[in-house]
């Protein structure tokens, strides 16, 4: 068993109760010279060391393995195949309970009723990841109260399984609105002619229209009414910026309350923003204070995945200064669109935002509690 300890045995509640009653009845039988009662109680007492030996043998020769993905996202379930093998030449293992834990109080439980000698039992399960980070192993425990339930036997260990848990992507509603992009649009940031905007309506097909623009669902409904093909009309190209820089910082004024959960939430907004921009085929550069303001590109799926893995390991920068924010903004290309994300409230660093030719887009980070409260108030 990988990184396993020796089995431990503790008296269960049932065993403690039986032991007290057996001792009391044995003393009572000896006091009344009742040989039958004393003999029965003596047999019960002898069953304790025998059941302890049998229970510890029940945990010997076990080998635990897992199969699953090596990347996960916070809040999603990780599918795992747990297999438990019993070594040959031993007796049958019974009533085994396996618990596996990961950081963030994530736990999974599997039950194996019987495993023959030399056989392997498998169980499919899922583990909800609640905390980002890089995991090298799972902590597992194997419990059993076999036989008779007088003892609780257990063995603990570490099971090697490298896993990267990335932040859960969250896309801000403010970013999804087309109007905000038009405010933060470069005058020279027209996209390629082949790139089209968002769908704004449907119309009947006309000669010369490309069949790639035919809307299947609308055309099906149109044919059902006895009409022809329907074509999706889109906004003209040119509403997407040429280049976007996403700046992440943790600057806060003096005596500001720092909430670790807001940093985790802000990282979710950061990776969600990068994914949204990548899906829009926009070249993106990321600059963050926890990376020393190093410029990192996000132009394809591989770079997006590398950034997601990197964000699973970062820690909050506690000593960001105001002049650093101003210096980074002053070094940007005037024709670059800027998006700013922070885990601190906007009024703490509002004065650090410089006036630019292209207006800066501020993405506010909301906690889950604030969203739930706002929904409750609206209702």
């Amino acid at each position: 068993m990988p990184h396993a300890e020796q089995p431990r045995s503790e008296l269960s509640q049932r065993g403690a109760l039986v032991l007290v009653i057996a001792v009391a009845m044995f003393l009572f039988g000896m006091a009344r010279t009742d040989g039958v009662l004393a003999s029965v109680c003596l047999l019960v007492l002898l069953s304790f060391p025998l059941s302890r030996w049998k229970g510890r043998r029940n945990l010997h020769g076990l080998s635990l393995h897992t199969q699953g993905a090596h990347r996960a996202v916070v809040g999603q379930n990780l599918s795992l195949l747990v297999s438990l093998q019993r070594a040959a030449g031993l007796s049958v293992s019974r009533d085994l309970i396996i618990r596996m834990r990961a950081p963030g109080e994530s736990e999974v439980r599997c039950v194996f009723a019987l495993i023959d000698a030399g056989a392997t039992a498998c169980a499919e399960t899922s583990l909800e990841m609640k905390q980002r980070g890089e995991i090298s192993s799972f902590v597992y425990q194997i419990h059993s109260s076999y036989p008779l339930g007088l003892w609780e036997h257990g063995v603990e260990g570490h099971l090697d399984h490298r896993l990267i848990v990335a932040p859960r992507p969250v896309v801000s509603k403010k970013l999804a609105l087309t109007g905000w992009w038009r405010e933060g649009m470069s005058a020279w940031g027209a996209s390629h002619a082949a790139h089209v905007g968002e769908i704004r309506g449907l119309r009947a097909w006309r000669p010369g229209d490309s069949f790639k623009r035919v809307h299947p669902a609308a055309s099906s409904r149109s044919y059902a009414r006895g009409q022809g093909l329907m074509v999706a009309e889109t906004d003209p190209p040119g509403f997407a910026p040429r280049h976007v820089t996403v700046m992440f910082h943790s600057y806060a004024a003096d005596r500001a309350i720092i909430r670790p959960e807001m940093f985790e939430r802000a990282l979710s907004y950061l990776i969600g923003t990068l994914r949204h921009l990548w899906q829009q085929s926009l070249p993106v550069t990321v600059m963050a204070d926890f990376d020393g303001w190093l410029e990192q590109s996000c132009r394809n799926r591989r770079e997006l995945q590398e950034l997601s893995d990197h964000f699973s390991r970062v820690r909050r920068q506690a000593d960001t200064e105001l002049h650093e924010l101003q210096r980074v903004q002053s070094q940007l290309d005037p024709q670059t669109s800027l998006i700013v994300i922070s885990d601190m409230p906007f009024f703490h660093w509002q004065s650090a935002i410089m006036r630019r030719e292209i207006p800066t887009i501020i993405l506010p980070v909301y906690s889950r509690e604030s969203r739930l409260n706002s929904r409750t108030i609206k209702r």
Side-chain angles (χ1 to χ4, degrees):
M1 189 177 295
H3 310 287
E5 300 177 355
Q6 291 297 323
R8 300 191 313 272
S9 301
E10 296 179 358
L11 202 62
S12 64
Q13 292 184 357
R14 178 193 298 181
L17 181 61
V18 173
L19 181 60
V20 171
I21 295 176
V23 171
M25 295 302 293
F26 177 76
L27 296 177
F28 180 74
M30 293 294 293
R32 297 194 58 179
T33 63
D34 189 343
V36 176
L37 180 59
S39 299
V40 171
C41 294
L42 184 60
L43 291 177
V44 173
L45 293 175
L46 289 176
S47 67
F48 276 83
L50 292 177
S51 63
R52 182 178 184 273
W53 173 81
K54 183 62 177 177
R56 293 173 68 88
R57 290 279 297 176
N58 192 48
L59 297 181
H60 280 292
L62 296 176
S63 180
L64 182 65
H65 303 279
T66 58
Q67 295 180 4
H70 294 279
R71 283 189 174 91
V73 178
V74 174
Q76 294 183 357
N77 291 331
L78 174 67
S79 298
L80 291 174
L81 177 63
V82 181
S83 59
L84 187 63
Q85 184 178 6
R86 178 69 164 171
L90 298 174
S91 59
V92 177
S93 289
R94 303 175 183 271
D95 302 333
L96 300 176
I97 301 176
I98 299 177
R99 290 186 175 89
M100 297 176 54
R101 299 194 306 272
E105 299 181 356
S106 300
E107 183 175 322
V108 65
R109 182 176 182 269
C110 301
V111 178
F112 296 95
L114 185 144
I115 305 178
D116 293 327
T120 301
C122 300
E124 294 184 0
T125 184
S126 59
L127 179 64
E128 182 183 1
M129 308 310 300
K130 301 180 180 180
Q131 180 178 329
R132 66 177 179 90
E134 187 172 6
I135 302 172
S136 59
S137 62
F138 292 123
V139 178
Y140 70 88
Q141 296 177 339
I142 303 180
H143 296 277
S144 176
S145 58
Y146 174 84
L148 304 178
L150 301 177
W151 296 88
E152 291 287 347
H153 310 283
V155 61
E156 296 183 0
H158 295 269
L159 185 62
D160 293 336
H161 187 96
R162 187 175 181 273
L163 179 64
I164 298 177
V165 184
R168 183 174 67 92
V170 175
V171 181
S172 174
K173 293 182 179 180
K174 183 176 180 180
L175 180 65
L177 296 177
T178 307
W180 290 100
W181 268 125
R182 298 188 182 185
E183 288 187 8
M185 178 190 66
S186 170
W188 304 96
S191 60
H192 298 288
H195 292 180
V196 295
E198 297 181 353
I199 296 177
R200 65 179 181 182
L202 299 170
R203 62 172 175 82
W205 181 84
R206 294 194 296 261
D209 289 336
S210 174
F211 283 99
K212 295 181 179 180
R213 300 176 59 187
V214 174
H215 197 282
S219 298
S220 300
R221 293 191 295 268
S222 178
Y223 268 109
R225 295 192 297 265
Q227 301 177 4
L229 296 174
M230 299 298 292
V231 175
E233 271 197 324
T234 58
D235 291 325
F239 290 106
R242 176 180 297 177
H243 187 273
V244 182
T245 297
V246 180
M247 185 175 70
F248 184 97
H249 72 88
S250 298
Y251 170 76
D254 296 337
R255 299 180 182 179
I257 299 177
I258 298 176
R259 300 172 58 187
E261 65 275 10
M262 291 303 297
F263 179 74
E264 302 297 329
R265 187 72 174 173
L267 283 180
S268 297
Y269 274 79
L270 177 59
I271 190 63
T273 300
L274 296 179
R275 176 174 293 186
H276 177 77
L277 298 177
W278 169 74
Q279 292 174 347
Q280 302 298 322
S281 300
L282 296 175
V284 184
T285 299
V286 187
M287 302 178 67
D289 55 356
F290 52 72
D291 282 332
W293 303 113
L294 177 66
E295 295 188 13
Q296 302 183 76
S297 175
C298 182
R299 297 174 180 267
N300 50 54
R301 185 186 296 272
R302 178 181 60 83
E303 293 180 347
L304 178 63
Q305 185 63 59
E306 291 177 353
L307 286 173
S308 179
D309 295 346
H310 173 63
F311 292 156
S312 66
R313 299 183 292 266
V314 298
R315 295 293 181 265
R316 186 181 185 275
Q317 185 70 18
D319 55 354
T320 303
E321 300 292 342
L322 180 63
H323 65 84
E324 297 181 28
L325 303 181
Q326 298 173 343
R327 175 178 56 82
V328 171
Q329 296 177 75
S330 62
Q331 294 176 353
L332 294 177
D333 185 353
Q335 299 300 322
T336 297
S337 298
L338 177 61
I339 299 177
V340 181
I341 303 175
S342 176
D343 61 330
M344 301 302 297
F346 177 60
F347 63 85
H348 284 292
W349 47 274
Q350 182 177 5
S351 59
I353 300 301
M354 302 175 60
R355 297 182 60 89
R356 304 179 71 247
E357 180 179 349
I358 306 173
T360 301
I361 299 177
I362 308 297
L363 295 186
V365 177
Y366 300 103
S367 63
R368 295 180 181 179
E369 293 79 5
S370 62
R371 286 187 176 275
L372 292 175
N373 293 337
S374 63
R375 292 176 183 176
T376 304
I377 294 174
K378 289 180 181 179
R379 290 178 181 178

